[in-house]
Amino acid sequence: MSKRIAILGSTGSIGTQALEVVDAHPGDFEVEVLTANNNVDLLIEQAKKYNPNTIVIGNKDKYQQLSDALIDTDVKVYAGDEAIAQVVQISTVDIVLTAMVGFSGLVPTVNAIKAGKHIALANKETLVVAGDIITQLALENKVSILPVDSEHSAIFQCLAGEFHNPIEKILLTASGGPFRGKKVDFLRKVTRCQALNHPNWTMGDKITIDSASMMNKGLEAIEARWLFNVKPDDIEVVVHPQSIVHSLVQFEDGSIKAQLGLPDMRLPIQYAMTFPQRLKADFPRFNFMDYPELTFEKADVKVFRNLDLAYQAMKKGGNMPCILNAANEIAVDGFLKQKIGFVEMSDVIEKTMMTATIVEKPSLDDYLQSNDEARSIAEEIIKNK
């Protein structure tokens, strides 16, 4: 029986690769919902190809163009963030792939869980911002959260058959990004173009900058804390430039399991969409002879301060990870628009964390308010630079 899927963020890197997985397995999936924020031309193309039940464009200014293009089809067309948050609840959806960027994925994920939909999670910020609420909701609604990030998928795969065995340590691997081994003086002069040139992965602009600053790995550590119910001190980031070992799990007896593969996001996407089955795939195979050396290094948190800030936020708890995430989104946007330098992103985030209101046991409304407050603070810091 085919799985009926909703893809939130279908025009982005994860969304388009998810549709490649659908193409490779005709009959195994039905595309029920597609959403995009702004890329109306690609969304129109996808709607005509997959004929989903419903599509939503976040940018309301693009609604008329979208509606006119699909007037001769049966596809229902909506616009706006509220529509995205609501469409995940329709009865014809079995699993929701959340591939939206940043904080915007939180409310749709909450609604999908409340509606009993299983989640294929590519939006790490959802767990970074409100991991306590999301995991509790999933438990109450008997919903599975299946990780799509290659690192968390690797951990999840290593835990297959081991869920009764306590984890001693999670080892999250990081490529190190384009500036691995560089010093702060070099980073002060980094350009937008240099930061967007990742050595191993092809991703959207925001996540590529996060990878270059190592904030992405900090966010992944917070995500892992909630996905796998471990303490912050039991998560270690290890730099692995080849991106072949996607992550490792160490158990109480000292044994370590690792998941290996070429850097190809289609594999973890497919695993999340098909779990507990593994469908045959024609992805390129890893060959040890092509990688005679796999190397590992300690992450330099003095140079890449964002990683240290993320660990501070994780240990502080409460709404601090939400503050961190909001400040980072504003800082990355400021860097991409060339308002601040690469190193200054960490300054903006740190100052925001020191200024924003702390809530020890936040509700969902508290998280929404914290996000707004932290964004305003970070924007003001950048404005005054």
Side-chain angles (χ1 to χ4, degrees), residues 162-219:
E162 301 277 6
F163 290 104
H164 58 290
N165 288 320
I167 297 170
E168 185 170 276
K169 182 189 290 187
I170 284 174
L171 297 130
L172 274 178
T173 56
S175 69
F179 309 129
R180 180 177 63 88
K182 303 298 184 183
K183 299 302 179 185
V184 174
D185 287 344
F186 177 90
L187 296 182
R188 292 189 196 281
K189 302 172 184 176
V190 159
T191 66
R192 181 182 189 276
C193 184
Q194 288 174 310
L196 287 171
N197 186 26
H198 196 280
N200 298 338
W201 297 93
T202 300
M203 305 172 288
D205 286 358
K206 196 268 181 183
I207 192 172
T208 303
I209 299 302
D210 280 348
S211 181
S213 72
M214 291 204 73
M215 176 57 87
N216 193 48
K217 208 52 52 178
L219 299 179

Side-chain angles (χ1 to χ4, degrees), residues 49-332:
K49 179 177 180 179
Y50 297 99
N51 193 37
N53 178 308
T54 305
I55 61 170
V56 187
I57 185 77
N59 184 346
K60 292 182 178 180
D61 293 339
K62 302 290 182 74
Y63 171 78
Q64 200 60 52
Q65 180 185 351
L66 184 62
S67 180
D68 290 347
L70 300 172
I71 196 167
D72 294 328
T73 72
D74 295 328
V75 179
K76 301 181 186 71
V77 181
Y78 300 98
D81 293 339
E82 288 186 8
I84 294 175
Q86 292 171 3
V87 76
V88 296
Q89 302 174 76
I90 65 175
S91 60
T92 53
V93 169
D94 298 317
I95 184 168
V96 177
L97 171 61
T98 60
M100 299 171 70
V101 177
F103 183 86
S104 61
L106 175 61
V107 174
T109 304
V110 168
N111 286 356
I113 293 172
K114 287 181 176 179
K117 313 300 183 184
H118 295 298
I119 306 297
L121 188 68
N123 174 257
K124 65 177 64 65
E125 290 86 354
T126 291
L127 284 179
V128 170
V129 168
D132 53 344
I133 289 176
I134 295 296
T135 50
Q136 183 60 36
L137 275 176
L139 188 65
E140 291 172 0
N141 290 278
K142 299 179 180 179
V143 163
S144 297
I145 299 178
L146 304 163
V148 169
D149 271 346
S150 60
E151 295 82 0
H152 301 94
S153 176
I155 296 163
F156 187 64
Q157 292 180 60
C158 289
L159 289 174
E162 301 277 6
F163 290 104
H164 58 290
N165 288 320
I167 297 170
E168 185 170 276
K169 182 189 290 187
I170 284 174
L171 297 130
L172 274 178
T173 56
S175 69
F179 309 129
R180 180 177 63 88
K182 303 298 184 183
K183 299 302 179 185
V184 174
D185 287 344
F186 177 90
L187 296 182
R188 292 189 196 281
K189 302 172 184 176
V190 159
T191 66
R192 181 182 189 276
C193 184
Q194 288 174 310
L196 287 171
N197 186 26
H198 196 280
N200 298 338
W201 297 93
T202 300
M203 305 172 288
D205 286 358
K206 196 268 181 183
I207 192 172
T208 303
I209 299 302
D210 280 348
S211 181
S213 72
M214 291 204 73
M215 176 57 87
N216 193 48
K217 208 52 52 178
L219 299 179
E220 287 177 3
I222 299 172
E223 183 183 9
R225 178 255 181 278
W226 292 109
L227 276 173
F228 307 110
N229 192 28
V230 292
K231 298 176 182 177
D233 289 336
D234 295 335
I235 305 168
E236 180 181 347
V237 172
V238 179
V239 176
H240 169 52
Q242 296 82 18
S243 296
I244 295 299
V245 178
H246 295 303
S247 276
L248 313 92
V249 177
Q250 181 172 305
F251 297 95
E252 286 188 323
D253 61 358
S255 178
I256 295 177
K257 280 187 176 182
Q259 189 266 332
L260 285 70
L262 294 173
D264 186 337
M265 280 304 301
R266 291 174 300 173
L267 196 154
I269 291 169
Q270 177 172 304
Y271 189 74
M273 287 167 56
T274 63
F275 181 81
Q277 293 179 304
R278 287 185 184 270
L279 294 186
K280 181 176 174 57
D282 295 326
F283 308 141
R285 269 36 178 181
F286 168 68
N287 185 338
F288 273 101
M289 297 306 102
D290 294 333
Y291 294 85
E293 291 187 2
L294 299 177
T295 60
F296 303 88
E297 307 163 10
K298 186 175 182 179
D300 191 341
V301 294
K302 291 184 178 179
V303 173
F304 296 95
R305 291 175 52 222
N306 279 359
L307 182 58
D308 184 53
L309 291 171
Y311 266 84
Q312 289 181 37
M314 176 165 49
K315 291 177 180 179
K316 177 70 175 177
N319 67 331
M320 187 57 82
C322 177
I323 294 167
L324 169 95
N325 180 73
N328 179 63
E329 289 189 15
I330 297 300
V332 169

